Amino acid sequence: MNIVEEKWMEIIEHLRVELDLSNVSFTTWIKPLKVYKVVDNTVYILVNMNASIDYIEKKYMLHLKVAIAEITGTEFDIIFIAEDDDRLGDIDETSSKPAEKKKTKSAAEKAGLNPKYTFDTFVVGNNNNFAHAASVAVAESPGEVYNPLFLYGGVGLGKTHLMHSIAHYILDINPKKKVLYATSESFTNELIASLKNSKETSMADFRDKYRNIDVLLIDDIQFLIGKESTQEEFFHTFNHLHTLGKQIIISSDRPPKDIETLEARLRTRFEWGLIADISSPDYETRMAILQKKIELDHLEKYNIPNDVLQYIASNVKTNIRELEGSLNKLIALYKLEQYKKEINISLAAEALKDIISSENNRAVTPELILDIVSEHFGVSIADLKSKKKNAEIALPRQIFMYLCRTMTDTPLKSIGLMLGGKDHSTINHGVNKIASEIKKDETLNNTVDIIKKKINPV
Ligand SMILES: Nc1ncnc2c1ncn2[C@@H]1O[C@H](COP(=O)(O)OP(=O)(O)OP(=O)(O)O)[C@@H](O)[C@H]1O
């Protein structure tokens, strides 16, 4: 299933929230729309015979395009097509061709790597040249030069990007190498699940997965700290791989010496290899990253003036994820304004107001918690605010309620308003539910704990 089909409900819900559509408009025009096919970069949307294609095109086409781009991260063209249109047969024919040629998954896909995170797309600057050089060396000779390679740096500065680049490089040269990328959250949660499972094979499977490999990449190791049994298991995994000369790459938000509750024996091991830091990029690097993003995402067509790029680069300094997000927000706003406004500094200021204020002042606010919960679970803010009750959305929403209540002094009523007007008893129920479940469910407790640390890393 294509990503647009997969996320269709989320897309139309996003549209509803963005346009503040009344129930009547939503159920008349938007809800009946169905994705017929996605062929290359075109989404064919089936329009019910009673509705006017002209009207839907005029009124919703642009907004829908933006919603699709925002939810899927990719731009698609849209063609509305009536249920009785003769062209439907042609579309079927075209779309069946690529299906026949369906590729098997590449080694990189199997390893869970982001195809965009390669050395080619990584901009090298003063802030990361040492970490980059060390990563290239490790990628060229895994297990031979720096083992482990320990990369550390603040949020959104490119640690994951560099780790994936190493893994891609190793697999490009030898697709048979067994490369495993995992976050410390998944390592911990899988371990908890195997320990809970009474079957003897379960722990054996876990060990087989993490030990029978050539390269292990563990992201955000700081979330493993303070968890004794996980540290213990990781210690043995580390020793096993290291003794066999297998490459280990670790990332963290701080160097081993500053991870206070890290066991001494693990700390010593992390210091065996090479420790490389990534700091905030300087202005020139920030500009180069923006240019690279324009090139990679084919954004040249928007002719973003240089002074607008300079404005973004001067104001978003400490987080590259937000630097990239700024460009996306600017373009989304430009499209929402239906290309009527110019892309200039004042449009950029409007698009970036939240990002810039959060850069300057990262207090723990309900908005920050909402952003982090949404990013952690890959659930859009529109969905968190919606009425959807499916577990993938309801659980993150309740975790948001709980964190908002326990980490800030926001009243229940205000939390309810933030979530699209839910009443205070719903919020109270959500808060209590998570508070009691984390006492019983170790995996949930681990996840909530990690999100808390993302919100407030100190
Ligand atoms: N030097 C760079 N060149 C190009 N893109 C970069 C660079 N550094 C970071 N990015 C981009 O910034 C975004 C955030 O990077 P990444 O996820 O690797 O950060 P991180 O340090 O792992 O963050 P976290 O602490 O949240 O885990 C990604 O989209 C990545 O591609």
Side-chain angles (χ1 to χ4, degrees):
M1 196 191 253
N2 176 281
I3 185 160
V4 179
E5 290 168 283
E6 204 178 297
K7 301 210 162 188
W8 184 245
M9 296 316 284
E10 205 178 316
I11 291 166
I12 58 173
E13 188 55 37
H14 183 78
L15 186 75
R16 169 154 80 155
V17 174
E18 286 294 321
L19 299 183
D20 202 15
L21 291 178
S22 67
N23 266 348
V24 177
S25 309
F26 184 74
T27 38
T28 312
W29 305 114
I30 307 299
K31 217 168 156 209
L33 299 177
K34 299 270 172 305
V35 178
Y36 181 68
K37 280 270 153 63
V38 181
V39 184
D40 300 326
N41 252 25
T42 304
V43 187
Y44 291 87
I45 296 175
L46 213 51
V47 181
N48 173 321
M49 272 191 301
N50 303 324
S52 149
I53 289 199
D54 280 351
Y55 180 81
I56 294 178
E57 258 178 0
K58 233 190 238 146
K59 196 140 168 106
Y60 296 114
M61 167 101 109
L62 254 172
H63 300 291
L64 195 54
K65 260 178 131 172
V66 175
I68 293 177
E70 291 216 337
I71 299 292
T72 65
T74 311
E75 278 191 54
F76 286 88
D77 287 327
I78 295 178
I79 295 181
F80 289 109
I81 195 149
E83 278 174 345
D84 57 347
D85 195 309
D86 292 334
R87 288 174 300 164
L88 289 176
D90 300 344
I91 302 167
D92 282 337
E93 224 175 273
T94 343
S95 66
S96 64
K97 283 175 196 150
E100 279 161 24
K101 286 192 270 165
K102 216 173 179 186
K103 281 198 298 150
T104 47
K105 266 195 175 181
S106 70
E109 277 174 295
K110 278 191 211 145
L113 301 177
N114 184 330
K116 290 185 177 165
Y117 291 176
T118 63
F119 285 128
D120 289 340
T121 58
F122 190 82
V123 174
V124 183
N126 286 340
N127 62 316
N128 59 25
N129 52 6
F130 181 62
H132 173 260
S135 300
V136 173
V138 163
E140 285 173 341
S141 319
E144 287 172 27
V145 274
Y146 309 121
N147 203 9
L149 173 64
F150 191 102
L151 299 168
Y152 76 90
V155 173
L157 289 181
K159 302 180 290 295
T160 306
H161 189 141
L162 264 186
M163 292 180 109
H164 284 216
S165 307
I166 300 173
H168 275 298
Y169 191 100
I170 294 173
L171 287 171
D172 280 350
I173 291 182
N174 183 354
K176 294 219 163 70
K177 282 259 184 212
K178 288 190 188 159
V179 173
L180 178 61
Y181 166 85
T183 60
S184 59
E185 180 185 5
S186 52
F187 182 87
T188 309
N189 286 347
E190 284 171 34
L191 177 65
I192 294 170
S194 326
L195 290 171
K196 252 203 296 198
N197 193 327
S198 49
K199 278 193 209 138
E200 259 179 40
T201 50
S202 172
M203 199 56 210
D205 287 347
F206 176 87
R207 294 205 167 127
D208 182 54
K209 174 172 175 185
Y210 282 95
R211 296 186 187 187
N212 187 14
I213 49 177
D214 300 306
V215 182
L216 175 64
L217 304 107
I218 294 277
D219 211 350
D220 287 327
I221 197 90
Q222 74 274 12
F223 296 137
L224 202 120
I225 58 183
K227 298 186 172 69
E228 274 174 34
S229 52
T230 317
Q231 283 196 39
E232 177 77 18
E233 185 60 33
F234 187 71
F235 174 76
H236 294 298
T237 308
F238 184 104
N239 283 348
H240 181 90
L241 294 173
H242 200 270
T243 313
L244 294 175
K246 308 295 185 186
Q247 180 70 48
I248 301 158
I249 300 149
I250 295 165
S251 88
S252 169
D253 66 346
R254 61 201 98 163
K257 69 176 173 41
D258 292 347
I259 309 183
E260 281 138 24
T261 50
L262 187 66
E263 269 188 90
R265 56 185 185 159
L266 263 181
R267 180 172 310 140
T268 321
R269 274 160 180 77
F270 291 169
E271 288 167 352
W272 277 350
L274 185 78
I275 300 177
D277 79 305
I278 307 181
S279 51
S280 297
D282 56 19
Y283 174 78
E284 285 70 28
T285 311
R286 298 200 294 276
M287 281 297 280
I289 290 172
L290 288 174
Q291 305 283 9
K292 186 88 186 176
K293 180 151 170 77
I294 289 174
E295 176 199 324
L296 293 172
D297 292 355
H298 311 292
L299 304 176
E300 297 87 352
K301 56 183 180 254
Y302 297 108
N303 290 321
I304 303 173
N306 217 32
D307 62 346
V308 170
L309 295 179
Q310 287 163 350
Y311 174 82
I312 299 176
S314 317
N315 282 289
V316 187
K317 299 178 191 156
T318 56
N319 183 333
I320 297 174
R321 189 175 296 118
E322 290 195 340
L323 188 69
E324 294 183 334
S326 306
L327 210 51
N328 293 339
K329 269 202 151 166
L330 174 66
I331 287 166
L333 189 66
Y334 175 58
K335 289 181 183 170
L336 278 179
E337 298 289 350
Q338 311 218 348
Y339 305 92
K340 275 190 246 130
K341 283 192 182 169
E342 247 181 90
I343 297 195
N344 56 22
I345 293 189
S346 88
L347 191 72
E350 194 182 331
L352 306 195
K353 56 183 187 305
D354 296 338
I355 293 179
I356 292 174
S357 66
S358 78
E359 272 259 323
N360 297 334
N361 173 25
R362 199 184 138 101
V364 176
T365 59
E367 289 75 19
L368 176 76
I369 300 177
L370 194 63
D371 278 351
I372 291 180
V373 170
S374 145
E375 191 190 311
H376 186 91
F377 290 102
V379 170
S380 72
I381 290 182
D383 272 346
L384 290 174
K385 293 184 174 187
S386 73
K387 292 197 171 94
K388 290 184 194 165
K389 292 202 166 74
N390 42 322
E392 305 87 76
I393 297 170
L395 180 69
R397 186 187 292 132
Q398 289 182 326
I399 291 179
F400 163 73
M401 296 172 188
Y402 170 78
L403 292 173
C404 211
R405 194 68 183 139
T406 50
M407 298 183 82
T408 70
D409 48 17
T410 315
L412 294 172
K413 201 169 166 199
S414 314
I415 301 176
L417 284 175
M418 257 191 100
L419 288 176
K422 301 198 169 36
D423 65 34
H424 82 282
S425 61
T426 308
I427 309 300
N428 205 19
H429 170 75
V431 174
N432 292 337
K433 183 155 175 256
I434 299 297
S436 87
E437 300 237 322
I438 52 176
K439 290 192 191 127
K440 297 180 271 177
D441 182 341
E442 221 184 317
T443 314
L444 180 69
N445 189 35
N446 178 46
T447 296
V448 170
D449 197 39
I450 286 173
I451 303 172
K452 265 193 196 162
K453 288 185 181 138
K454 284 190 176 175
I455 295 166
N456 200 353
V458 279

